[in-house]
C-alpha cells in the first residue's frame, strides 16, 4: 500500500512539473510574439548617424541656435568662443537621428489640428551629402505623452516621445558647454 502511494505522489509531482514547463513555454512564446508585433508596428522616422551631420540648428528660448562642425569640432555660431562638450552634442544628434514611434497619422488633412500652425520646436539637420532634414514639432498630446512631429519630405505626422522637446532640444549653449578645467589643476 505504501509503495502504491509513493508511485501516485511521483506521478502527480511529474504531472505538476510537466504543467509548469508547458505554461512557461506558452508564456515565453506569447511574449516573443507580442514583442515581434510591437517591433513590426514601430516606425523609424529618422535614421541618420550623428557623425554624418555637418550642421544643425534648433530654437532655444525663441532664438535659433546654429551649430557647425569645423575641423572635427562643434562650434556654436551664436557663440563661437564657447568650447562645446563634443559628447553632449553627439548624444543630441544621435537622439535626433534615431527617432522611432508606434503612432503614425497617415496624410492628415489639417496640420493645424496637430499644432503646426504655431510649432513648439523646430530643428534643421544638414548631412555631409548636402541633404537637410527639417523636424517640426507641433502640439503636445498630454494624454498619450508625446508631441506631434512632421519631417520634411514626409506627408505623415508622428506622435513622438515628449523628451525630444522637453529634454533633447531644450539644451542651451550653457548645457552643451564643455566642463571648464581649473587652471591651477592644469599647472600641477
Amino acid at each position: 500500500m505504501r509503495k502504491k502511494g509513493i508511485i501516485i505522489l511521483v506521478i502527480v509531482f511529474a504531472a505538476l512539473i510537466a504543467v509548469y514547463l508547458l505554461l512557461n513555454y506558452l508564456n515565453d512564446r506569447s511574449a516573443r510574439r507580442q514583442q515581434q508585433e510591437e517591433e513590426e508596428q514601430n516606425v523609424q522616422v529618422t535614421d541618420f548617424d550623428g557623425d554624418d551631420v555637418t550642421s544643425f540648428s534648433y530654437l532655444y528660448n525663441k532664438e535659433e541656435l546654429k551649430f557647425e562642425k569645423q575641423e572635427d569640432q562643434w562650434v556654436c555660431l551664436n557663440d563661437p568662443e564657447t568650447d562645446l562638450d563634443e559628447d553632449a552634442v553627439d548624444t543630441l544628434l544621435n537622439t535626433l537621428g534615431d527617432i522611432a514611434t508606434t503612432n503614425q497619422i497617415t496624410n492628415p488633412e489639417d496640420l493645424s489640428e496637430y499644432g503646426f500652425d504655431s510649432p513648439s520646436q523646430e530643428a534643421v539637420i544638414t548631412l555631409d551629402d548636402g541633404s537637410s532634414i527639417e523636424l517640426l514639432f507641433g502640439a503636445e498630446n498630454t494624454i498619450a505623452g508625446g508631441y506631434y512631429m512632421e519631417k520634411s519630405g514626409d506627408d505623415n505626422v508622428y506622435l513622438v516621445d515628449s523628451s525630444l522637446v522637453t529634454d533633447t532640444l531644450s539644451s542651451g549653449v550653457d548645457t552643451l558647454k564643455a566642463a571648464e578645467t581649473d587652471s591651477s589643476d592644469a599647472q600641477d
Side-chain angles (χ1 to χ4, degrees):
M1 189 67 152
R2 190 174 173 157
K3 205 177 201 182
K4 204 177 196 185
I6 291 174
I7 292 173
I8 291 173
L9 283 175
V10 169
I11 291 171
V12 169
F13 185 68
L16 287 174
I17 289 175
V19 168
Y20 172 78
L21 292 173
L22 177 65
L23 289 175
N24 213 13
Y25 168 76
L26 293 174
N27 189 30
D28 286 347
R29 195 171 115 189
S30 175
R32 280 194 304 269
R33 184 178 305 132
Q34 183 178 0
Q35 182 181 6
Q36 183 179 9
E37 288 173 2
E38 287 174 3
E39 288 173 359
E40 289 172 0
Q41 292 175 356
N42 211 18
V43 176
Q44 192 69 35
V45 182
T46 60
D47 188 17
F48 62 85
D49 190 304
D51 292 337
D52 296 335
V53 176
T54 58
S55 67
F56 68 98
S57 63
Y58 63 92
L59 296 177
Y60 177 73
N61 289 338
K62 301 189 190 263
E63 177 188 0
E64 183 180 24
L65 295 180
K66 297 178 182 182
F67 299 86
E68 186 176 273
K69 195 154 205 169
Q70 298 176 356
E71 299 176 16
D72 290 330
Q73 295 289 317
W74 283 105
V75 175
C76 177
L77 300 179
N78 306 64
D79 188 3
E81 299 303 315
T82 299
D83 289 330
L84 298 176
D85 180 348
E86 297 295 316
D87 290 336
V89 175
D90 289 343
T91 299
L92 184 147
L93 292 174
N94 287 327
T95 301
L96 292 177
D98 188 29
I99 299 173
T101 185
T102 56
N103 298 303
Q104 175 180 343
I105 301 145
T106 307
N107 299 319
E109 291 183 23
D110 185 7
L111 293 177
S112 66
E113 289 180 27
Y114 304 99
F116 294 117
D117 51 344
S118 58
S120 56
Q121 180 58 275
E122 60 185 273
V124 178
I125 300 103
T126 304
L127 303 175
D128 56 9
D129 66 1
S131 64
S132 289
I133 300 166
E134 183 176 351
L135 305 174
L136 196 60
F137 296 86
E140 182 179 17
N141 182 326
T142 55
I143 295 170
Y147 278 84
Y148 293 108
M149 186 191 89
E150 69 172 341
K151 180 177 111 175
S152 57
D154 189 336
D155 293 332
N156 301 313
V157 169
Y158 304 93
L159 184 63
V160 297
D161 192 282
S162 293
S163 67
L164 285 168
V165 174
T166 60
D167 296 333
T168 304
L169 293 173
S170 68
S171 302
V173 177
D174 288 341
T175 308
L176 297 173
K177 235 190 249 190
E180 293 183 26
T181 56
D182 189 359
S183 59
S184 62
D185 289 342
Q187 293 173 355
D188 291 338

